[in-house]
Amino acid sequence: MKYQISSGHLRAWTHAAVAVACTAALSIGALPTLDTAAAAPKERPLSPGKRCDELYGIKNTPTGRLPAGDTSRPKSQWDEFDYVNTGKQYDGLQLPEDAAERKAFLDKIGTDPEAYEKGDPRRVYAYYAKEIAKPNSRWKTDWDGWRDGKYIPQSGHDPRGKAYEAKVVKDFGLTGPDWICQKEIKIRDPKTGKVHRRILDAINKKTREIVEIKSNNKPEDSQKPKDLALSRNKNWQRSGYKIRYIFAEERGGQGQKFFDEMRRNLGKGTLGQERVTIHEHRSNAIEKAPAKSNNSPYRYNAPYMNADPSKNTGSRGGAIDQIKQSKPTPKDMADFLNRREQASGGRFPKGPGGIDFTSLELKYVGKPAKGAGLDYAFSAAKAPGESGGWGGKEKAQMISDAFFTWLALTPDKFWVNLNPDTPGTIMDDKFASTDAGRILLEADLQLKHDFYKAMDPKTEVGKAAWDGLAKVNGWPCLHSGRNWIEPKPAKVREQDGGIYILDAPLKLQSEYAEVNTPGPGEGKPCQDQLSKDEIEHNERVLQRTVVPEVEKWINTKPQYADLRRVYTARVAAEYIRQQDAERPTDYREIINSNNVKRWPLRAPNQDWKKTDVFNKYVKVFKEGEFKYELTKGEEVWVITVGGVDFSKQPKRNITGLQFRTERPYTPRTKNTAIKAATDDADQDGMLMLGGNSAGMSDDDAGTPTPTTKPTPTTKPTPTDKPTGKPTTGPTRTPPPTPTGSGNHTQPPATPPADDDNGGGGLADTGAQVATIAAITAALLSAGVALVWWKRRRTTST
């Protein structure tokens, strides 16, 4: 039997066959296609992509599977990946400071970067000249900001992304013939009619999975319209494809509006599961400069923690990368971050805006090796909503200066004293020439103010204090006294070739003291009528009411942040002193040299004088600061003298078991922090960021940094290398005879047991070490008396 098919039937059969073929293709994993009417004119073909394992050179990794739903990587699995940013070799590249010289220099360079070979610094200058030639450029007067906030991050964007993509492919096993990376597709947005080209990071047509891999914490601005077009396209809605977004950093809600719309458009899968899911695959990006660029004259050398700048070396690492972008004020910082974000388009990793530099403290120093620099790590709180980032240079410089002050001066100078009877013993003159000394004296004045404030009878604490005081003629009577701040034992752990400073609390001391300088008020003071028993009763009242409250403020309030900052540096410096006593370090010539010219009072406090603070205190002392309204309306004035005493630095070395229990991830975090700023896995809301004082942490070959920091116009760099030899110990001046009848409680001469086996001494390192078993000091109303004990001890693992 023969069949004759008309042309009309032929067209119908053809259309049916095509439909069946399309359905069959879709069922075995074909991608949705554009509508015929939306096909674009002839243009370059779409990139077919390549097997992921072949593209990234990954071998011997079996095919795995992605986790379901929204997930986060457990803290125990956080790790790191590294990449080379060629732009980082120019992080110290400078322009002339004079505006006319700068313009002439850039005019000569021109605005064509392609006129210069890669690796030629003139190419970088040409990019900047091209940038500021734009009428609306926001970088015209900010070369440093453009270099650090735009040029270097842009240079690192692609290598960072590729390195993280390779890591995700390996970690999740996106291997085998079905996983294709960098495949390009076309998508028509039914809402706008626009056709987008989109390169997918990874796609598996068999399992119908798309993986978008982001080495930062949010989707890129340029990709959002393309992904939203995909989610609106009916072909893709019907395809059943799932899209998995994987981020290297904590997302913190970034892009949530975008993800909510994606989910609404694509709906849920056949089993009710979300088709758009998010996984935080936490991994710290370690940005390295090209190999051997440490010897380049264009690298940045920070001054922090560096023992000998005359050798033209400086700090580099995770802290420096963030601090060098910090601006001095919140307003300046907000403007910079706005420009940085505009330049980023959502592509750059988190920057300094997420760091609260007002909380910066030194939390780790390694064992110094002569010629190899010192590893160190700071801690800082996270700034919510990228609201921080300012003040980083000031705080880092303050910590570094204090660290060297504690090394250079002998410990008998580490005290301040505000006593109206003794204007000659405010503080040592050399100590007064440093910011560390300034901070201690200003904290002492702040303490007087806060002690008065805490005694306000309108507060719960103040009322309890006044109600409990001894009475004279029916009125509560407060004796004169002295209050001072001294360290509590710092909680530390010595291991991994360094010391972790886990907690460095400060203690408020308060006791009775006789004062000859008349205070405010008229007539005979009531305290002259108090008996010894009544005075001791009053002291006990204050010890259970006002003292704990003010001590809490000292350890938590912003007005004492600088004091806490310089004290943690004191703990670190004491450790370096001990290490240098065993074997010479780069700090040998500094220790006990009493030369602090390199760490002077810095702007805006360069003209600060200790006598100005003393005179201000005497004025307050004589005229009063607070007038309390008691029940019968009587005026009562509080009289205090005192000081801050850092001449001692007691510490308590916790056991290895306690350290592993309380801070299981801190050693790993510290290792990363030296190279890149990172979240502290052991302390929510905190970051760690550090470096190496000789620049040995951030190039691709790991070499030291013996280089200068040139500019197009050469200017001499002054140096002030300390002279003199270290002394065997501090020189002490006998203090005046103490006054008052308070009970001076000293710490024990032998520290509590610290090692894992219930012994004592330092951490279980297996090395012979020298430790300060107890360092005590009685700060008198008119001076300081010091008693030091040292004990040598051998510990073994």
Side-chain angles (χ1 to χ4, degrees):
M1 181 179 295
K2 294 183 180 181
Y3 293 91
Q4 185 175 2
I5 302 176
S6 68
S7 59
H9 287 136
L10 180 60
R11 286 194 298 271
W13 276 98
T14 301
H15 291 165
V18 170
V20 172
C22 288
T23 303
L26 190 61
S27 68
I28 62 171
L31 290 174
T33 58
L34 290 170
D35 298 333
T36 304
K42 186 176 181 180
E43 55 185 339
R44 68 170 177 83
L46 297 172
S47 172
K50 190 174 182 179
R51 278 181 50 160
C52 296
D53 46 12
E54 292 179 356
L55 179 63
Y56 295 112
I58 295 172
K59 299 178 180 179
N60 304 319
T61 299
T63 303
R65 62 189 309 175
L66 295 164
D70 290 346
T71 52
S72 295
R73 197 179 197 189
K75 290 181 178 180
S76 60
Q77 296 178 13
W78 291 4
D79 59 5
E80 60 188 48
F81 66 99
D82 60 69
Y83 66 101
V84 175
N85 180 354
T86 57
K88 197 173 183 183
Q89 63 188 311
Y90 301 116
D91 60 1
L93 190 65
Q94 294 293 301
L95 277 174
E97 294 182 5
D98 180 78
E101 289 182 20
R102 176 177 293 201
K103 183 179 184 306
F105 179 80
L106 292 175
D107 286 346
K108 185 177 180 180
I109 291 291
T111 59
D112 182 12
E114 300 304 320
Y116 304 99
E117 297 289 334
K118 292 182 179 180
D120 187 334
R122 292 176 297 178
R123 185 181 178 93
V124 185
Y125 291 132
Y127 273 117
Y128 181 64
K130 184 178 180 179
E131 166 65 38
I132 63 175
K134 300 174 184 176
N136 59 344
S137 175
R138 300 178 64 188
W139 303 98
K140 291 181 184 291
T141 59
D142 190 6
W143 155 261
D144 287 350
W146 174 85
R147 181 196 61 210
D148 300 332
K150 181 176 180 180
Y151 174 76
I152 293 177
Q154 279 185 338
S155 299
H157 173 66
D158 285 344
R160 175 188 172 110
K162 287 182 172 60
Y164 186 62
E165 287 172 11
K167 176 177 177 54
V168 169
V169 167
K170 182 177 178 61
D171 287 355
F172 288 101
L174 308 185
T175 58
D178 296 319
W179 277 108
I180 305 299
C181 283
Q182 301 301 302
K183 180 177 178 59
E184 190 174 24
I185 62 172
K186 279 186 178 181
I187 315 154
R188 178 181 176 273
D189 189 338
K191 184 176 180 180
T192 65
K194 184 175 181 179
V195 176
H196 298 278
R197 297 173 73 108
R198 175 73 159 93
I199 296 178
L200 304 176
D201 290 335
I203 184 170
N204 189 318
K205 291 188 287 184
K206 184 176 181 180
T207 61
R208 301 197 182 212
E209 293 175 284
I210 295 172
V211 181
E212 281 305 305
I213 306 168
K214 304 301 174 190
S215 62
N216 57 7
N217 67 339
K218 55 188 174 184
E220 291 184 15
D221 293 345
S222 62
Q223 292 179 350
K224 287 180 182 178
K226 302 175 184 180
D227 290 359
L228 288 172
L230 182 150
S231 71
R232 296 180 188 123
N233 188 288
K234 293 190 179 300
N235 290 336
W236 280 97
Q237 290 175 352
R238 291 193 294 259
S239 71
Y241 270 88
K242 301 182 290 292
I243 304 178
R244 183 72 160 174
Y245 289 87
I246 297 180
F247 295 96
E249 298 175 347
E250 181 183 21
R251 200 168 56 82
Q254 294 286 338
Q256 191 57 50
K257 183 178 179 181
F258 162 77
F259 291 118
D260 289 344
E261 184 173 351
M262 288 284 293
R263 284 171 169 164
R264 286 195 301 270
N265 292 339
L266 283 177
K268 296 186 177 183
T270 55
L271 300 178
Q273 74 277 23
E274 293 287 354
R275 290 175 61 186
V276 177
T277 55
I278 299 165
H279 175 68
E280 291 180 0
H281 195 63
R282 302 287 292 277
S283 187
N284 289 284
I286 309 301
E287 182 181 72
K288 295 184 176 182
K292 299 182 180 179
S293 68
N294 261 319
N295 296 318
S296 164
Y298 310 117
R299 292 302 314 275
Y300 177 72
N301 292 311
Y304 318 124
M305 312 299 288
N306 184 259
D308 192 354
S310 66
K311 293 180 180 178
N312 299 315
T313 59
S315 286
R316 293 185 189 151
I320 307 307
D321 291 342
Q322 301 300 326
I323 291 170
K324 68 197 296 282
Q325 299 182 63
S326 179
K327 305 299 179 184
T329 68
K331 182 178 183 299
D332 292 337
M333 195 69 213
D335 174 65
F336 170 73
L337 292 173
N338 182 269
R339 287 181 284 141
R340 186 182 186 273
E341 178 65 19
Q342 188 180 59
S344 162
R347 298 182 301 161
F348 296 170
K350 288 186 294 186
I355 304 171
D356 177 10
F357 283 115
T358 65
S359 64
L360 196 72
E361 291 184 11
L362 185 60
K363 290 297 186 180
Y364 171 85
V365 290
K367 191 170 185 176
K370 194 169 180 62
L374 178 75
D375 286 345
Y376 61 90
F378 301 123
S379 74
K382 293 182 182 179
E386 299 286 302
S387 59
W390 58 277
K393 294 176 184 176
E394 174 201 351
K395 302 307 182 187
Q397 189 72 65
M398 181 186 296
I399 291 171
S400 180
D401 284 358
F403 172 78
F404 284 111
T405 297
W406 305 129
L407 289 177
L409 295 180
T410 50
D412 59 309
K413 297 176 174 60
F414 301 158
W415 56 270
V416 298
N417 181 44
L418 288 177
N419 185 336
D421 291 348
T422 57
T425 56
I426 303 171
M427 63 192 302
D428 176 84
D429 286 342
K430 287 189 175 179
F431 194 33
S433 71
T434 69
D435 274 320
R438 173 186 64 81
I439 289 165
L440 261 66
L441 191 64
E442 290 183 346
D444 188 31
L445 183 60
Q446 182 68 43
L447 168 64
K448 309 300 186 289
H449 170 87
D450 286 340
F451 201 89
Y452 304 157
K453 184 178 180 180
M455 290 200 67
D456 187 343
K458 293 182 179 179
T459 67
E460 182 178 346
V461 170
K463 184 177 186 304
W466 286 105
D467 288 349
L469 291 176
K471 306 295 190 295
V472 172
N473 298 324
W475 287 97
C477 180
L478 180 63
H479 58 276
S480 61
R482 67 184 188 91
N483 305 311
W484 76 99
I485 301 169
E486 67 179 32
K488 287 183 178 180
K491 182 179 177 182
V492 303
R493 177 65 186 170
E494 295 181 53
Q495 70 174 49
D496 305 325
I499 186 169
Y500 297 90
I501 305 169
L502 307 178
D503 190 21
L506 296 169
K507 181 178 180 63
L508 173 59
Q509 297 280 37
S510 179
E511 65 181 18
Y512 166 76
E514 294 178 2
V515 183
N516 295 320
T517 302
E522 298 178 358
K524 184 177 181 180
C526 69
Q527 66 178 25
D528 290 353
Q529 302 177 53
L530 292 175
S531 67
K532 180 180 178 182
D533 288 344
E534 288 174 321
I535 289 173
E536 291 178 351
H537 165 80
N538 282 354
E539 286 183 311
R540 290 192 295 271
V541 170
L542 295 179
Q543 287 293 338
R544 68 171 182 263
T545 55
V546 178
V547 170
E549 180 75 359
V550 179
E551 183 175 294
K552 182 174 68 176
W553 294 354
I554 292 168
N555 285 289
T556 59
K557 291 284 188 179
Q559 60 263 35
Y560 295 98
D562 285 345
L563 183 68
R564 298 191 295 269
R565 206 181 328 274
V566 299
Y567 176 53
T568 55
R570 170 78 173 97
V571 179
E574 187 60 40
Y575 173 76
I576 300 302
R577 281 176 172 273
Q578 295 178 11
Q579 299 307 306
D580 187 83
E582 292 190 355
R583 60 184 64 85
T585 71
D586 292 337
Y587 301 93
R588 171 63 59 91
E589 292 186 10
I590 296 172
I591 295 173
N592 290 340
S593 67
N594 281 322
N595 185 338
V596 289
K597 291 181 180 179
R598 275 178 49 197
W599 309 287
L601 290 161
R602 299 191 188 272
N605 302 297
Q606 66 271 26
D607 298 324
W608 181 89
K609 293 181 179 62
K610 63 181 180 180
T611 51
D612 291 342
V613 178
F614 180 80
N615 292 337
K616 183 177 180 180
Y617 171 64
V618 170
K619 178 178 173 64
V620 171
F621 182 88
K622 290 181 175 181
E623 299 177 5
E625 184 175 18
F626 287 91
K627 182 172 73 174
Y628 300 130
E629 296 179 2
L630 299 181
T631 306
K632 297 181 181 180
E634 181 177 330
E635 295 181 359
V636 178
W637 302 92
V638 182
I639 301 174
T640 64
V641 298
V644 180
D645 175 22
F646 279 3
S647 59
K648 61 183 178 179
Q649 195 283 290
K651 67 177 185 294
R652 180 173 65 86
N653 207 0
I654 67 171
T655 67
L657 176 60
Q658 184 179 356
F659 185 56
R660 291 189 295 272
T661 301
E662 295 179 2
R663 301 288 183 90
Y665 308 120
T666 293
R668 183 190 70 193
T669 302
K670 175 265 300 179
N671 291 338
T672 298
I674 291 169
K675 298 171 286 187
T678 178
D679 286 356
D680 190 331
D682 285 326
Q683 293 185 292
D684 291 340
M686 298 298 292
L687 302 163
M688 284 191 78
L689 55 162
N692 176 272
S693 64
M696 299 181 65
S697 65
D698 77 338
D699 83 332
D700 199 32
T703 53
T705 314
T707 182
T708 59
K709 179 183 176 183
T711 65
T713 55
T714 305
K715 295 181 180 179
T717 301
T719 59
D720 183 12
K721 186 176 181 179
T723 59
K725 297 180 179 179
T727 60
T728 56
T731 302
R732 304 176 180 87
T733 302
T737 304
T739 59
S741 62
N743 178 25
H744 301 272
T745 303
Q746 308 290 357
T750 303
D754 289 327
D755 63 46
D756 289 346
N757 299 316
L762 292 178
D764 198 5
T765 61
Q768 189 178 51
V769 292
T771 180
I772 298 176
I775 307 172
T776 64
L779 179 65
L780 310 177
S781 297
V784 178
L786 297 173
V787 183
W788 284 57
W789 288 277
K790 283 192 176 182
R791 175 166 63 97
R792 296 192 69 84
R793 172 179 178 79
T794 301
T795 59
S796 60
T797 57

